[in-house]
Amino acid sequence: MKTNYNKLLVAIFSIALFLTACSNDDDHGILAPEVTMDIQDQALQLSVGDNSTFSASNQNNSVYTETWSLGDSIVSNADTYIFEPKNSGTYNLSYAAVNEAGTFAYEYTITVLPKLRPITDDSKAFVTALLDFWPAPGQFINKKPGNLESAEGIIGGRGLVSLGGWGGSVTYTFDHTVLNHADKNDLIIYGNAMPTFSEPGVIYVMQDDNANGLPDDKWYEIKGSGHDLEGTDRAYKVTYYRPATADGDVPWEDNNGNTGVIAKNAFHKQAYYPEWITEDSYTISGTLLSDSNIDMSNPSYITSKPFEYGYADNTSGGDQIDLADAIDADGNPVNLSGIDFIKIQTGVQANMGWLGELSTEVTGIADLNLID
Ligand SMILES: [Ca+2]
Ligand SMILES: [Ca+2]
Ligand SMILES: [Ca+2]
Ligand SMILES: [Ca+2]
């Protein structure tokens, strides 16, 4: 009897010990994270230049590891994170508090809008500053209308600048953000095209997405009607070489191995290779447009019919451009609220005999909605 009683005591003690061990294994005294977020709204909107402070508060003195992630990147392991977006876009910010006993998680979707420069009573319709003039060689280069003075001549109004052969470009800014109005054209680019003589220039636009006033953001091409034509190539490159003498033709080679020259003609005797470029060659990249509209079958009456829409120096009277036609590098449409910078680049590569090389001219660039 005594023995049985001792066995029972041992059994009871063992069970008690087992239960104690079990309960210790269960939590070690650990509490699952109980957290509240000071910003509860999970869909937020900010503008570039704004910042927002996110905080998580521990509600039960539990001990845990905290992680703030922006997309796939961990951005903080503290209880607070200051979000200062440098670019517009949609951001996913997530917070997690984790320990052995559990996880607390919270997610935000933050829409960051670009900072638009407003139109004021003083805003000018026409571009207000030249940012870059980088022509290709050509018959008008190194004199009017193909010099720096010509490029500056369309600031604030009308003038005339020629960009030289394929790839030559000029870049300007406005004193305000040119808005992309829904279902409306937004820009007008004046040139000197005639009904049977267009010299289409590709148009690129940029939003000052990081709001620093510099054109260091992304260029988007305006998709014109020549985009899908045979011969259009969005990854084209040409290298121009300084000729041995100033009166020589300017040789070029493209990234497909083709070679040619910007040929001298009798009307323009100056050097065609830009004199201010100190290197003996330079390479330009951009979009090459199809030359299928050019008809040289009658050498004394060479014609270059316009594309339907979407280019500079294309139709007489000025080319209206819809910012809704902007596409990214992959050809996908982009939804721009407005643009701050514009670049125009000679788009067709053609030697038109006695007329010389095809070269885009620009005589004015304006916000269509500020033109009376
Ligand atoms: Ca528009
Ligand atoms: Ca910028
Ligand atoms: Ca021209
Ligand atoms: Ca022209």
Side-chain angles (χ1 to χ4, degrees), residues 95-341:
Y95 170 83
V98 179
N99 66 16
E100 287 172 50
T103 297
F104 170 86
Y106 210 81
E107 290 198 12
Y108 298 98
T109 302
I110 310 167
T111 305
V112 178
L113 302 173
K115 194 156 231 161
L116 305 179
R117 292 177 299 150
I119 294 168
T120 68
D121 289 348
D122 296 330
S123 295
K124 305 279 189 296
F126 286 83
V127 290
T128 51
L130 173 69
L131 300 179
D132 189 38
F133 177 53
W134 205 33
Q139 60 193 321
F140 304 113
I141 302 307
N142 298 320
K143 64 173 187 174
K144 278 188 177 182
N147 59 16
L148 185 62
E149 194 186 343
S150 312
E152 288 168 340
I154 68 164
I155 294 170
R158 301 289 295 265
L160 175 65
V161 58
S162 181
L163 308 181
W166 182 84
S169 70
V170 68
T171 306
Y172 297 93
T173 185
F174 293 86
D175 63 5
H176 62 280
T177 302
V178 177
L179 297 176
N180 179 12
H181 293 266
D183 305 317
K184 269 174 83 178
N185 291 325
D186 311 293
L187 290 164
I188 184 161
I189 298 160
Y190 300 99
N192 62 1
M194 291 173 284
T196 58
F197 199 77
S198 72
E199 296 180 293
V202 178
I203 299 159
Y204 303 85
V205 291
M206 184 187 281
Q207 190 162 51
D208 187 14
D209 197 52
N210 58 6
N212 69 352
L214 302 173
D216 57 356
D217 313 274
K218 256 188 213 146
W219 284 115
Y220 297 104
E221 182 179 332
I222 297 295
K223 179 181 177 178
S225 59
H227 182 267
D228 293 320
L229 294 180
E230 171 113 35
T232 292
D233 174 2
R234 294 190 73 204
Y236 193 58
K237 270 185 196 175
V238 169
T239 301
Y240 292 102
Y241 298 92
R242 189 196 306 277
T245 58
D247 57 358
D249 297 342
V250 180
W252 58 258
E253 181 174 10
D254 71 14
N255 56 338
N256 301 318
N258 302 310
T259 58
V261 294
I262 302 281
K264 292 283 289 197
N265 63 45
F267 305 108
H268 305 284
K269 304 211 180 287
Q270 87 291 357
Y272 287 11
Y273 187 96
E275 280 169 342
W276 63 92
I277 291 180
T278 54
E279 293 80 13
D280 287 335
S281 70
Y282 64 110
T283 301
I284 301 177
S285 52
T287 292
L288 173 71
L289 296 174
S290 170
D291 62 3
S292 57
N293 284 351
I294 297 172
D295 182 355
M296 295 188 35
S297 57
N298 179 352
S300 64
Y301 186 64
I302 294 167
T303 59
S304 173
K305 283 182 299 179
F307 288 110
E308 198 184 325
Y309 68 91
Y311 302 101
D313 200 12
N314 184 45
T315 58
S316 46
D319 294 284
Q320 294 194 9
I321 299 300
D322 188 349
L323 292 173
D325 290 333
I327 53 172
D328 66 15
D330 297 324
N332 301 312
V334 287
N335 184 18
L336 296 171
S337 47
I339 62 105
D340 301 282
F341 310 111

